Amino acid sequence: MMAAGPWALLLLLALGSGPGARGYFPEERWNPESPLLPPRVTVALLARNAAHALPSTLGALERLRHPKERTALWVAVDHSVDNTTALLREWLLRVRGLYHRVEWRPLEEPTSYPDEEGPKHWSPMRYEHVMKLRQAALEAARAAWSDYLLFLDADNVLTNPDTLGLLMAENKTLVAPMLDSRAAYSNFWCGMTAQGYYRRTPLYLPVRRRERRGCFAVPMVHSTFLLDLRRTAAAALRFHPPNPHYTWPFDDIIAFAFACRQAEVQMFICNREVYGFLPVPLRSHSTLQDEAESFLHVLLEIMVKNPPAEPSPHVWVPPKVPDKMGFDEVFLINLRRRTERRARMLRTLQEQEISCTVVEAVDGKAMNSSEVEALGIRMLPGYRDPYHGRPLTKGELGCFLSHYRVWQEIAARGLRKSVVFEDDLRFEIFFKRRLMTLMQELEAEGIPWDLIYIGRKRMQVERPEKAVPRVRNLVEADYSYWTLGYILSLRGARKLLAAEPLGKMLPVDEFLPVMFDKHPLTEYTKHFPKRDLVAFSAEPLLVFPTHYTGEDGYVSDTETSVLWDDEATATDWDRSRSQKMREQPELRREARNSDVLQSPLTSAARDEL
């Protein structure tokens, strides 16, 4: 019996050490508490003429990682002439069983406001109606005892599925996720005047660029934001009617900012993560087609660094009908091993309804010296890279041969006009429309041309380029780099091939300026006696690189390579430590595209509003 004592004690300890036993006597034992249920969230979605955006917005909403059975939907349609009402009705019928509750407020008639000048015009009657709708959403969330209310504009795409949880973790009464756009515009202000108008501050751009990260107190957030209804101060917030002491502009977001100030509720903007994207607002005279194309550009920008914003599977999306924009061929040059670039470019072209032919790029890194000799390739005598003094790289060799093959195909097939894309570009807003308009105007004037840059890096910036008379947005091209996008005529292709460049090769973006006689170095141009290529450039440019030198994600298949005739010598000069990077800032502002409608992210402007 004595020997069994320790074993009996161990048995008692084992029985008493489980998760449900914390006492010696049965009445002292307890089980761990069960976890709390996730918070109850109401999502308020107001939509007007948003049929073009809703499939993507709703798809992103469905992918939010918050239990749908703890999520209620409050959806309203405001004076729409497009398919918004039918689309939302279809979506709600299909998803209502997934969500805790659905409140649907359709508005079939009227389709416009008596005092508005167009569907993009914010008239006083429209402001008041939107204020009443937002107030109704706020009251519905309170009546349902929701813990949180998420306001979501119909064209705001929350690409980060953890957005709700991340905002809740900030533990603020009112917090907004900073949304990205193609310009300086976002869904917050950093400054406000005593009269309620926007005021520019030094803080805005560092926050917008994420040079400063965190959760920042600001006087205004809008479009998409999360309100914690559990806070006592939240009970005093309202959109309509405005506070009796309200004298600021009659605007729903400004009125709500005033209510927050009166209730001593601080607004916050959070930029710790990339949460989503929104379009830059268009001018009041813009059309619904303008708005649809502007939102399309948002989808294209999302794909630069993120997966595509897939539409909701519960709504019908019109099929795309690609065409060649009036060109004989659209070529896309892509290295076989760059599968992600190919997939992104094919998707972006498909979204813009542009069909293309993929040309497998020549992988210079995979070529050996015997292959180079068999093609009769010789480097241009005396060529040295102007930044580094090095010879041609194998990557540059492959790049030249890739374009050369396209020129050969144009000549062999007799293609009158063709577009050539590389796979590391992004498109400007309204790309397809602007390119087609440019070509129509050029052809109407009967101006002969061989080459038209649609994306490039200007190397001569001391004097302006000469505008082409009676053709908007076209200039005579001066010394330029890059071949990420251009238009080539049959005559132009024949001129390039007739120069026999393989026997005196230099980088393709140096060769082209030589051929239209704008290269500054005579030691290069003297090897090409016939330099009569007629070259123009779109201005503003229509495409630009996905990444600039030194930026995160930048990869160069041309300069990060090995020498064309020396595989033992690596060339990684195109990094932030290189002389090229140190010299580029002098050209960077002029070389980058000038935005057609709004300011770029490099400068503050009124489009922050």
Side-chain angles (χ1 to χ4, degrees):
M1 294 295 294
M2 291 290 294
W7 292 107
L9 181 58
L10 287 173
L11 180 61
L12 285 173
L13 289 173
L15 291 173
S17 62
R22 293 294 184 274
Y24 180 79
F25 297 103
E27 58 269 21
E28 292 179 339
R29 298 170 189 167
W30 55 275
N31 290 319
E33 296 293 337
S34 61
L36 294 173
L37 289 170
R40 294 167 298 205
V41 178
T42 292
V43 178
L45 180 72
L46 279 65
R48 186 189 189 200
N49 296 319
H52 59 279
L54 282 169
S56 298
T57 300
L58 298 176
L61 174 59
E62 293 170 23
R63 290 187 289 272
L64 290 179
R65 293 194 183 106
H66 191 79
K68 291 180 172 57
E69 66 273 13
R70 303 288 292 177
T71 305
L73 301 175
W74 188 98
V75 182
V77 177
D78 168 27
H79 294 73
S80 290
V81 298
D82 68 355
N83 198 40
T84 295
T85 302
L87 189 152
L88 281 172
R89 181 182 289 113
E90 174 192 7
W91 181 70
L92 289 170
L93 286 173
R94 293 186 176 185
V95 304
R96 63 183 178 181
L98 303 176
Y99 290 89
H100 172 67
R101 180 174 53 85
V102 170
E103 184 170 341
W104 169 227
R105 292 201 173 198
L107 180 67
E108 303 287 355
E109 295 290 342
T111 59
S112 62
Y113 294 94
D115 61 340
E116 73 177 7
E117 299 173 4
K120 294 301 297 174
H121 177 225
W122 279 89
S123 66
M125 292 182 68
R126 181 181 180 185
Y127 274 123
E128 183 172 17
H129 186 67
V130 169
M131 290 164 72
K132 290 179 179 178
L133 285 177
R134 293 192 184 278
Q135 181 64 29
L138 180 57
E139 292 173 359
R142 286 169 174 160
W145 296 102
S146 292
D147 298 309
Y148 292 93
L149 172 60
L150 175 70
F151 278 102
L152 176 66
D153 275 7
D155 57 1
N156 290 189
V157 183
L158 298 178
T159 55
N160 189 332
D162 295 316
T163 296
L164 264 178
L166 292 168
L167 294 181
M168 291 176 185
E170 295 294 339
N171 200 28
K172 308 292 186 186
T173 303
L174 200 160
V175 61
M178 190 188 79
L179 302 180
D180 290 283
S181 76
R182 63 182 174 84
Y185 177 76
S186 188
N187 57 322
F188 70 101
W189 297 359
C190 276
M192 182 183 286
T193 68
Q195 294 76 36
Y197 291 102
Y198 170 79
R199 180 171 61 85
R200 182 178 299 180
T201 69
L203 177 64
Y204 184 84
L205 282 180
V207 172
R208 172 66 185 85
R209 295 172 181 154
R210 291 190 175 85
E211 293 167 359
R212 294 184 59 189
R213 287 179 179 259
C215 205
F216 302 93
V218 293
M220 164 70 75
V221 297
H222 58 84
S223 300
T224 293
F225 56 89
L226 185 69
L227 178 61
D228 188 344
L229 298 175
R230 303 170 303 171
R231 307 280 182 173
T232 55
L237 301 181
R238 65 182 180 185
F239 288 92
H240 193 274
N243 188 287
H245 304 291
Y246 184 76
T247 58
W248 290 2
F250 198 67
D251 178 303
D252 60 311
I253 64 173
I254 299 177
F256 190 64
F258 182 89
C260 289
R261 179 177 294 191
Q262 293 296 103
E264 298 183 344
V265 172
Q266 178 62 60
M267 292 180 163
F268 289 87
I269 189 74
C270 190
N271 71 349
R272 301 185 202 276
E273 309 279 346
V274 175
Y275 302 98
F277 294 77
L278 81 171
V280 174
L282 301 179
R283 298 181 175 94
S284 60
H285 62 264
S286 300
T287 66
L288 294 183
Q289 180 62 29
D290 295 334
E291 190 171 32
E293 291 183 30
S294 174
F295 184 78
L296 169 62
H297 190 258
V298 173
L299 300 182
L300 303 185
E301 287 293 283
I302 288 173
M303 286 188 278
V304 172
K305 298 181 181 179
N306 305 274
E310 299 293 354
S312 167
H314 302 293
V315 297
W316 179 78
V317 179
K320 301 289 184 179
V321 185
D323 58 52
K324 295 180 181 178
M325 304 180 290
F327 293 94
D328 296 303
E329 191 59 88
V330 178
F331 294 100
L332 170 62
I333 299 174
N334 167 257
L335 276 171
R336 177 181 290 182
R337 55 187 166 88
R338 296 296 185 192
T339 56
E340 291 184 3
R341 288 185 178 182
R342 179 169 62 253
R344 185 192 69 83
M345 277 297 295
L346 289 175
R347 179 66 180 268
T348 57
L349 291 170
Q350 174 72 12
E351 290 293 336
Q352 297 176 91
E353 298 187 290
I354 299 172
S355 62
C356 75
T357 296
V358 179
V359 176
E360 185 175 333
V362 176
D363 194 342
K365 294 180 181 179
M367 296 182 69
N368 57 43
S369 56
S370 61
E371 289 177 295
V372 174
E373 291 177 8
L375 291 171
I377 295 173
R378 298 290 183 273
M379 191 169 68
L380 183 78
Y383 173 75
R384 289 291 184 273
D385 179 86
Y387 286 116
H388 319 297
R390 58 158 172 78
L392 203 71
T393 71
K394 278 199 169 183
E396 289 169 331
L397 171 64
C399 181
F400 194 109
L401 290 175
S402 301
H403 286 271
Y404 189 82
R405 287 183 176 179
V406 171
W407 305 339
Q408 287 179 312
E409 183 170 345
I410 291 173
R413 292 171 57 188
L415 302 176
R416 191 171 61 88
K417 56 179 181 178
S418 304
V419 183
V420 182
F421 292 130
E422 293 181 344
D423 62 2
D424 55 349
L425 61 83
R426 61 208 295 182
F427 295 89
E428 269 288 10
I429 189 171
F430 307 132
F431 167 79
K432 186 175 182 179
R433 186 204 305 188
R434 291 165 60 197
L435 180 57
M436 293 177 70
T437 300
L438 174 64
M439 295 306 297
Q440 290 166 4
E441 292 182 0
L442 180 62
E443 291 171 357
E445 289 299 319
I447 299 173
W449 62 274
D450 296 322
L451 172 76
I452 303 173
Y453 287 103
I454 56 177
R456 61 173 176 152
K457 174 181 176 181
R458 282 183 59 198
M459 299 303 290
Q460 187 287 114
V461 296
E462 295 179 355
R463 57 185 181 274
E465 293 171 315
K466 184 180 178 181
V468 177
R470 297 181 299 280
V471 180
R472 294 172 297 173
N473 309 123
L474 191 68
V475 296
E476 295 180 9
D478 211 315
Y479 183 35
S480 304
Y481 265 8
W482 298 346
T483 51
L484 70 165
Y486 59 90
I487 306 166
L488 189 63
S489 70
L490 176 59
R491 186 181 69 170
R494 287 171 174 167
K495 287 181 180 180
L496 296 175
L497 295 172
E500 299 181 344
L502 298 190
K504 40 194 172 182
M505 185 177 286
L506 69 169
V508 65
D509 58 353
E510 297 272 20
F511 173 63
L512 293 180
V514 166
M515 290 301 293
F516 57 82
D517 206 23
K518 291 293 184 179
H519 201 290
L521 300 180
T522 56
E523 56 264 41
Y524 297 170
T525 60
K526 67 182 181 182
H527 295 279
F528 300 90
K530 196 169 184 180
R531 303 185 297 275
D532 60 348
L533 196 74
V534 182
F536 299 103
S537 176
E539 178 56 41
L541 296 168
L542 302 181
V543 299
F544 57 109
T546 54
H547 301 83
Y548 287 93
T549 308
E551 291 182 342
D552 290 341
Y554 173 80
V555 176
S556 172
D557 286 311
T558 55
E559 300 191 38
T560 308
S561 182
V562 294
L563 295 184
W564 78 291
D565 57 353
D566 181 4
E567 297 183 10
T569 303
T571 62
D572 193 17
W573 287 287
D574 204 16
R575 298 299 183 185
S576 57
R577 63 178 179 271
S578 70
Q579 178 68 19
K580 181 174 183 178
M581 187 59 188
R582 290 193 290 272
E583 294 181 17
Q584 269 190 341
E586 299 176 9
L587 301 171
R588 189 178 181 115
R589 180 178 298 276
E590 294 81 357
R592 288 194 179 195
N593 294 0
S594 54
D595 197 309
V596 65
L597 288 181
Q598 304 285 353
S599 70
L601 190 50
T602 53
S603 63
R606 193 182 181 279
D607 68 355
E608 298 166 19
L609 296 175

